Amino acid sequence: MSSIDRSQSVGGTRTYEVRTYGCQMNVHDSERLAGLLEDAGYVRAPEGSDGEADVVVFNTCAVRENADNKLYGNLGHLAPKKAARPGMQIAVGGCLAQKDRDTIVKKAPWVDVVFGTHNIGKLPVLLERARVQEEAQVEIAESLEAFPSTLPTRRESAYAAWVSISVGCNNTCTFCIVPALRGKEKDRRPGDILAEIEALVAEGVSEITLLGQNVNAYGSDIGDREAFSKLLRACGKIDGLERVRFTSPHPRDFTDDVIAAMAETPNVMPQLHMPLQSGSDPILKAMRRSYRQERFLGIIEKVRAAIPHAAISTDIIVGFPGETEEDFEQTLHVVREARFAQAFTFQYSKRPGTPAAEMDGQIPKKVVQERYERLVALQEEISWEENKKQVGRTLELMVAEGEGRKDDTTHRLSGRAPDNRLVHFTKPDQEVRPGDVVTVEITYAAPHHLLAEGPVLAVRRTRAGDAWEKRNADKVSKASQPTGVLLGLPKIGVPEPLPVAASGCGCD
């Protein structure tokens, strides 16, 4: 009997699956979609069910040139499954839904629900309305109805959590369509943010990541230019909160008070993701990025002076329309000067609906590819050199789950250093759990990870580890029940390592 058969044979319980594409904002929105569905009585389908759930939700991204092709391909794959299973429903939300609206049900008439970025809270109601009325429901709100953090949320991790502080963006970057789809920036009240963090810490969470399309512009909507630095300092006063991160900032709004708050607040981690996009002033102007090379490098210099061990990462677009070889060389110059620990590099592709897609001077694919390969080679060299500087250092790692793909075969565990570097370490004799903290000495460096091959120097059991253990115990307990409740169990796992998720949106 399949998992879906089981769910329908036990009290008519309906299962769901959420498929997420795009940036970290979408990842967090999917946690809310899952929370809404579970609050409405649905249970999560098992991993690998591949469209066998009763409700399949696509949380889409509109940034990539082929985003719509990917969506319609996946919808086409589900069409025969839905035809064979009366009662199955398909919903499409996120940025592409906000952009394409009625087009989706015209191209894929078997879709039941289309909802936008501003009204994700309506999903359960729209699903029920589609079922009763037996016709597709398309509802796209033009502005935010309620701040999403007021919605039920099914957190993916017991020990690390996203906390959204704002939605939307006031920038007008020519390569990015996100502001048009998520709207102008709307800030949460500081008290609401801190209350959510305190509640998460009370549940065992020890690391939070403050989240926004332009996170350090926080305060522009509430009239306080220093609101973000004040928020960082307030996080430092929350007992039990061990690690604070944020993503993604914008160089335009990255002020000295934020640097001071990072340096002076012990639980704010020495890590910064600062999107560059291009090192060329003419290209930055064409992108409508409101800073220039000198300003960017000045920020890096100030951060390094205040936080010497900070790991700085970035996003770079290669082949933006009009980019000359001289422009590209300026990007390489900034990479050499900034010495990023990591760079997320992208070959420019047209984003439908953006000004850049209509610009003259589109660069041939062959030229873009050649420049891209040169940039990657340079950054790999720098990443390795910067990682080698970590050899011999003693670091505290927060033990992670699922980040070391070879851990089972190498008999190692994996964790994140304060600066977010990934470290694989020798498994100690005593039990350590995700969320616990270990102290290790770094013995080897590769471009994208570090090794601690000697014995673990110390293990500190934490409330976060307790929270992980409790959730895992609940999973085992429910799995032993003969009622099919297993289908609704939370997945254990830390949110995608930052800044990887932060770089996918293109809105930085």
Side-chain angles (χ1 to χ4, degrees), residues 339 376-386 447:
R339 299 196 63 79
V376 168
L378 173 62
Q379 182 56 52
E380 287 279 300
E381 178 184 338
I382 292 172
S383 294
W384 199 358
E385 290 173 354
E386 291 301 305

Side-chain angles (χ1 to χ4, degrees), residues 10 52 61 89 100 113 169 181 196 233 245 248-249 273 277 288 293 335 345 363 381-382 393 450 483:
V10 183
E52 296 297 327
C61 171
Q89 290 183 296
D100 284 1
V113 171
C169 181
L181 303 179
E196 180 181 355
R233 293 183 186 277
R245 306 186 191 277
S248 285
H273 184 69
Q277 307 303 5
R288 289 189 198 152
Q293 180 187 122
V335 170
T345 52
I363 310 299
E381 178 184 338
I382 292 172
R393 292 189 66 197
L450 303 171
T483 60

Side-chain angles (χ1 to χ4, degrees), residues 63 91 130 161 164 170 183 232 252 266 278 316 321 324 347 427 440 487 491 504 507:
V63 168
S164 185
N170 294 336
L232 290 178
R252 182 194 67 183
S278 174
I316 299 173
T324 65
Q347 297 186 39
K427 189 174 183 179
V440 301
L487 300 180
K491 171 188 172 185
C507 56

Side-chain angles (χ1 to χ4, degrees), residues 37 68 71 91 118-119 139 244 267 324 340 384 405 443 486:
L37 291 170
D68 53 348
L71 171 66
H118 299 308
N119 60 331
E139 187 167 312
V244 178
N267 63 356
T324 65
F340 300 112
W384 199 358
R405 289 175 295 177
T443 58
L486 170 65

Side-chain angles (χ1 to χ4, degrees), residues 52-80:
E52 296 297 327
D54 297 301
V55 173
V56 179
V57 183
F58 291 88
N59 189 8
T60 64
C61 171
V63 168
R64 295 299 176 198
E65 185 177 15
N66 64 348
D68 53 348
N69 293 334
K70 178 179 288 188
L71 171 66
Y72 293 120
N74 286 325
L75 291 175
H77 176 71
L78 289 183

Side-chain angles (χ1 to χ4, degrees), residues 138-456:
V138 180
E139 187 167 312
I140 307 291
E142 296 300 331
S143 59
L144 193 66
E145 296 179 345
F147 203 91
S149 288
T150 62
L151 301 174
T153 302
R154 181 188 184 281
R155 301 279 179 179
E156 289 299 311
S157 170
Y159 53 91
W162 308 104
V163 175
S164 185
I165 69 171
S166 65
V167 295
C169 181
N170 294 336
N171 293 318
T172 58
C173 302
T174 55
F175 56 79
C176 184
I177 197 172
V178 171
L181 303 179
R182 289 199 176 263
K184 293 293 185 180
E185 180 179 325
K186 294 293 182 182
D187 295 336
R188 290 178 73 189
R189 293 171 59 89
D192 293 340
I193 297 168
L194 294 171
E196 180 181 355
I197 295 172
E198 289 169 349
L200 288 167
V201 172
E203 295 172 3
V205 168
S206 62
E207 176 178 315
I208 61 101
T209 300
L210 303 175
L211 191 61
Q213 305 288 165
N214 181 7
V215 70
N216 61 313
Y218 176 74
S220 62
D221 183 48
I222 57 179
D224 185 355
R225 290 182 58 84
E226 295 188 353
F228 186 62
S229 61
K230 292 175 182 176
L231 182 62
L232 290 178
R233 293 183 186 277
C235 287
K237 298 176 181 178
I238 297 177
D239 187 40
L241 179 58
E242 297 196 16
R243 295 186 172 192
V244 178
R245 306 186 191 277
F246 58 88
T247 194
S248 285
H250 191 293
R252 182 194 67 183
D253 303 298
F254 205 78
T255 49
D256 291 349
D257 61 298
V258 174
I259 297 173
M262 291 178 65
E264 296 165 10
T265 309
N267 63 356
V268 176
M269 295 293 96
Q271 174 220 344
L272 177 64
H273 184 69
M274 182 61 70
L276 169 65
Q277 307 303 5
S278 174
S280 162
D281 288 354
I283 295 299
L284 288 170
K285 182 178 180 180
M287 289 178 168
R288 289 189 198 152
R289 301 288 287 181
S290 49
Y291 57 89
R292 299 296 178 260
Q293 180 187 122
E294 182 179 4
R295 159 74 171 155
F296 186 92
L297 288 174
I299 292 172
I300 302 302
E301 183 178 358
K302 288 181 179 180
V303 171
R304 290 246 162 83
I307 315 168
H309 288 300
I312 302 174
S313 55
T314 197
D315 293 334
I316 299 173
I317 297 173
V318 177
F320 188 82
E323 182 186 76
T324 65
E325 179 62 23
E326 182 181 356
D327 292 323
F328 178 66
E329 286 292 341
Q330 288 300 305
T331 296
L332 296 182
H333 168 71
V334 175
V335 170
R336 293 187 186 99
E337 291 293 311
R339 299 196 63 79
F340 300 112
Q342 198 171 14
F344 300 93
T345 52
F346 304 92
Q347 297 186 39
Y348 173 78
S349 60
K350 291 183 179 180
R351 274 78 161 176
T354 63
E358 306 301 323
M359 286 182 176
D360 294 333
Q362 301 287 329
I363 310 299
K365 171 66 176 176
K366 183 178 179 181
V367 175
V368 176
Q369 180 68 33
E370 188 272 337
R371 290 176 183 170
Y372 177 79
E373 290 174 0
R374 286 159 56 195
L375 173 61
V376 168
L378 173 62
Q379 182 56 52
E380 287 279 300
E381 178 184 338
I382 292 172
S383 294
W384 199 358
E385 290 173 354
E386 291 301 305
N387 273 359
K388 286 176 182 178
K389 295 177 183 178
Q390 305 298 311
V391 174
R393 292 189 66 197
T394 298
L395 301 176
E396 276 197 337
L397 313 178
M398 180 174 288
V399 181
E401 183 173 55
E403 293 204 48
R405 289 175 295 177
K406 299 180 180 179
D407 282 353
D408 288 340
T409 57
T410 58
H411 304 291
R412 292 178 178 138
L413 297 175
S414 298
R416 290 278 168 178
D419 65 8
N420 210 37
R421 282 182 166 93
L422 178 63
V423 182
H424 307 300
F425 62 95
T426 302
K427 189 174 183 179
D429 293 334
Q430 66 189 102
E431 179 191 23
V432 291
R433 308 158 301 177
D436 286 340
V437 174
V438 299
T439 304
V440 301
E441 181 180 337
I442 304 302
T443 58
Y444 176 81
H448 303 292
H449 70 268
L450 303 171
L451 292 182
E453 299 163 298
V456 169

